[in-house]
Amino acid sequence: KLGMAYKKDDNFGEWYSEVVVNSEMIEYYDISGCYILRPWAMEIWELLKEFFDAEIKKLKLKPYYFPLFVTENVLQKEKDHIEGFAPEVAWVTKSGKSDLEAPIAIRPTSETVMYPYFSKWIRSHRDLPLRCNQWCNVVRWEFSNPTPFIRSREFLWQEGHTAFATKEEADEEVLQILELYRRIYEEFLAVPVSKGRKSEMEKFAGGLYTTSVEAFVPNTGRGIQGATSHCLGQNFAKMFDITFENEKGAREMVWQNSWAYTTRSIGVMVMTHGDDKGLVLPPRVAPIQVIVIPVPYKDADTTAIKGACESAVYTLNESGFRADLDTRENYSPGWKYSHWEMKGVPLRIEIGPKDLANQQVRVVRRDNGAKVDIPVANLVEEVKALLDDIQANLLKAAKEKRDACIEVIHTWDEFTTALNNKRLILAPWCDEEEVEKDVKARTKGDLGAAKTLCTPFDQPELPEGTLCFASGKPAKKWSFWGRSY
Ligand SMILES: O=C1CCCN[C@@H]1CCCn1cnc2cc(F)c(Cl)cc2c1=O
Ligand SMILES: [Mg+2]
């Protein structure tokens, strides 16, 4: 399929659906909220996983796989943290024609699946730290508008679950993982994110505190949680009796963390960089970084051109780049240019008779369309420089766009104006939950209410006497507010 029917700035929702399908990342499925992830998406997921898994292995995480299914009474074990979630739990009630004795839930997350065994495995301080990670799918039967990658009823994630003897160790790991999430977004997906702490109302109810990396989608003016790293304190240790005998022979409860990022990260990247020609891939997550296309001429030496293409691909692959060539006879070069632009391939190399004669290739950048002729002898170093520049350029452009959306406000009127202008709001807040609830109530509407996105670790100076924009009480911190996904 060539060309886009929708423009990003005219009809963002339709544009997004079209990009993820035309770039061959997603195939729609006949169950609402479920999507087929095709190679162009899975290869990106695998590149992210390769980085993240190697990094957590340096932190001594061990790979596990726990069952998909959890019994009702085990799932209900942690009532207060799941009471709000009950409607989204998917249940298996039959096998074949016969009813199951008791319904079995499909995991929406794995605390209740894992922690009874943490209790069994952890006896002594010598069993700590326990560091468990699994790469799996989870199911949450949500009803709000399903969106490929962003909000689906089944998604892929990694979930880390760790246990330590001391709070200090847990606190440290929360931030180590959060930094890895920042790197996933900024160094791989070229998406700027803000590290911060969730409010008491927005945090994971079963935990002690929640940190997150928050992204922003300028086209919709909505914040979006990129990944989350919780300190659970000793809450689950108490609930599941996860205790250990310390060096002095006394029994203590463990301190736990849990953290995750999901295939949502791919959707955020698509929304951030895509344009009206389709997907734009940051080189570090591009399944193909360079596509080489022969440009045959009527009486040109097509064999020699094809040979030049093959040797360019070979040289680039030998140098560690993901290069491929498109020698399909049944498509014109022009068709191929549009096709690979739609798929977001960072660099296109064209080789025609003139290029052959001059021992050069024509390189075209997907991010800004710039064309440059480079000598075959300099191919590897020039391609490396271009890919590095594209990676940096995409992050820089996205950061500038996100920063241009940030509006610092001080009063309620400024807040509502900024909200209606699809801004990412930075506001002084008294940090009272009642006020957060009040803002939600006062901004309710069909676009959804405003909420706190996070309190950024990087706090601007808060002058003495600054008042909360919503309550007029003394402000305690700057927080990001806005509508969200
Ligand atoms: O965010 C993470 C990181 C990885 C492990 N889990 C935590 C908390 C997950 C919260 N959460 C999120 N969604 C849920 C949906 C549900 F249906 C039920 Cl029963 C529970 C939950 C739930 O606890
Ligand atoms: Mg949810």
Side-chain angles (χ1 to χ4, degrees):
K1 180 170 176 351
L2 281 188
M4 295 279 295
Y6 294 96
K7 295 207 173 312
K8 187 177 187 181
D9 292 338
D10 293 351
N11 193 327
F12 186 71
E14 297 292 348
W15 168 87
Y16 177 76
S17 298
E18 203 181 2
V19 168
V20 298
V21 168
N22 289 6
S23 62
E24 301 174 318
M25 295 175 113
I26 289 277
E27 184 70 56
Y28 275 76
Y29 189 62
D30 72 340
I31 297 173
S32 171
C34 297
Y35 307 95
I36 298 165
L37 301 183
R38 302 177 69 186
W40 206 245
M42 281 310 289
E43 288 166 333
I44 294 171
W45 183 243
E46 289 177 352
L47 286 165
L48 294 175
K49 178 174 175 184
E50 187 182 356
F51 163 74
F52 189 78
D53 207 50
E55 287 302 318
I56 58 174
K57 290 227 160 45
K58 292 177 193 170
L59 297 175
K60 301 181 184 162
L61 268 294
K62 292 297 176 195
Y64 288 72
Y65 185 79
F66 283 80
L68 174 71
F69 303 107
V70 53
T71 61
E72 186 166 13
N73 60 341
V74 167
L75 188 75
Q76 304 294 354
K77 175 99 179 176
E78 198 343 60
K79 264 181 298 303
D80 76 340
H81 112 242
I82 78 148
E83 104 276 342
F85 293 121
E88 62 191 61
V89 178
W91 295 92
V92 178
T93 60
K94 293 163 68 95
S95 80
K97 288 196 176 359
S98 47
D99 291 345
L100 295 188
E101 291 267 300
I104 290 173
I106 296 175
R107 67 180 168 226
T109 181
S110 298
E111 282 77 5
T112 58
V113 175
M114 294 177 167
Y115 296 172
Y117 300 92
F118 283 20
S119 175
K120 182 178 183 205
W121 295 334
I122 297 170
R123 292 275 170 248
S124 142
H125 61 89
R126 283 182 214 68
D127 302 320
L128 294 175
L130 182 132
R131 297 183 172 98
C132 151
N133 182 70
Q134 70 175 5
W135 292 92
C136 66
N137 62 330
V138 285
V139 171
R140 297 174 186 176
W141 215 256
E142 300 196 51
F143 291 86
S144 49
N145 51 324
T147 309
F149 299 118
I150 299 295
R151 197 182 4 256
S152 53
R153 286 174 157 169
E154 176 187 13
F155 55 86
L156 308 181
W157 74 350
Q158 57 65 223
E159 50 178 320
H161 296 262
T162 53
F164 301 93
T166 66
K167 182 177 188 296
E168 290 64 32
E169 290 168 286
D171 290 338
E172 181 188 28
E173 191 210 50
V174 166
L175 297 181
Q176 287 173 315
I177 299 298
L178 195 68
E179 169 58 8
L180 290 180
Y181 291 148
R182 182 199 66 75
R183 293 184 63 194
I184 286 261
Y185 275 89
E186 296 195 340
E187 295 178 13
F188 284 78
L189 299 168
V191 171
V193 290
S194 302
K195 283 182 180 178
R197 185 162 167 155
K198 288 285 188 186
S199 70
E200 283 308 291
M201 186 161 94
E202 294 299 330
K203 77 174 188 184
F204 170 31
L208 181 61
Y209 63 84
T210 292
T211 68
S212 65
V213 287
E214 299 292 331
F216 184 74
V217 182
N219 284 74
T220 55
R222 288 177 179 272
I224 185 163
Q225 182 180 288
T228 183
S229 182
H230 315 283
C231 176
L232 308 178
Q234 296 177 307
N235 301 352
F236 284 90
K238 196 160 162 207
M239 229 181 289
F240 288 90
D241 186 27
I242 311 174
T243 62
F244 67 100
E245 188 175 295
N246 68 18
E247 289 92 340
K248 299 189 218 53
R251 188 148 293 286
E252 287 187 65
M253 287 190 288
V254 299
W255 291 86
Q256 289 175 268
N257 294 337
S258 75
W259 28 270
Y261 83 96
T262 78
T263 34
R264 161 182 283 194
S265 54
I266 297 172
V268 177
M269 178 273 291
V270 172
M271 290 182 165
T272 301
H273 305 303
D275 64 16
D276 290 338
K277 291 198 286 191
L279 189 56
V280 177
L281 289 174
R284 293 191 73 181
V285 294
I288 297 176
Q289 297 167 312
V290 187
I291 188 74
V292 180
I293 297 169
V295 188
Y297 226 57
K298 41 188 180 302
D299 56 358
D301 179 350
T302 46
T303 314
I305 287 174
K306 194 170 170 197
C309 292
E310 285 160 352
S311 80
V313 169
Y314 178 78
T315 306
L316 289 169
N317 286 335
E318 284 298 292
S319 308
F321 296 102
R322 296 184 288 275
D324 206 344
L325 73 165
D326 185 347
T327 54
R328 292 174 290 178
E329 308 286 341
N330 54 329
Y331 293 102
S332 71
W335 186 93
K336 294 178 185 179
Y337 299 165
S338 303
H339 173 74
W340 294 105
E341 283 168 357
M342 181 69 77
K343 286 178 76 77
V345 171
L347 284 179
R348 168 175 83 232
I349 286 182
E350 304 165 11
I351 301 181
K354 191 175 51 53
D355 305 306
L356 201 63
N358 302 346
Q359 283 298 303
Q360 66 187 37
V361 297
R362 161 143 303 186
V363 186
V364 185
R365 292 174 57 142
R366 175 67 179 87
D367 63 333
N368 62 14
K371 296 179 192 303
V372 61
D373 294 330
I374 55 173
V376 172
N378 305 355
L379 183 66
V380 170
E381 64 188 283
E382 293 288 336
V383 162
K384 176 173 176 13
L386 282 166
L387 291 174
D388 290 347
D389 192 52
I390 292 170
Q391 185 77 33
N393 178 42
L394 288 174
L395 177 61
K396 180 170 173 288
K399 219 169 234 173
E400 283 166 1
K401 193 145 191 240
R402 186 275 312 267
D403 291 348
C405 294
I406 294 176
E407 183 136 0
V408 177
I409 60 100
H410 290 83
T411 69
W412 180 257
D413 287 349
E414 289 171 353
F415 179 80
T416 50
T417 304
L419 204 55
N420 297 335
N421 291 340
K422 298 187 178 182
R423 319 290 283 172
L424 174 55
I425 296 163
L426 190 56
W429 177 36
C430 60
D431 195 21
E432 291 185 14
E433 193 164 327
E434 281 318 303
V435 175
E436 204 173 352
K437 285 199 176 84
D438 184 46
V439 171
K440 267 197 172 175
R442 292 161 75 180
T443 56
K444 233 183 13 269
D446 42 6
L447 284 174
K451 60 199 277 197
T452 55
L453 303 167
C454 78
T455 293
F457 292 148
D458 180 11
Q459 281 284 303
E461 207 248 326
L462 186 63
E464 190 58 41
T466 304
L467 301 180
C468 172
F469 77 98
S471 69
K473 297 176 179 173
K476 293 213 181 102
K477 54 181 50 168
W478 288 97
S479 295
F480 279 120
W481 295 72
R483 293 195 174 92
S484 74
Y485 281 87

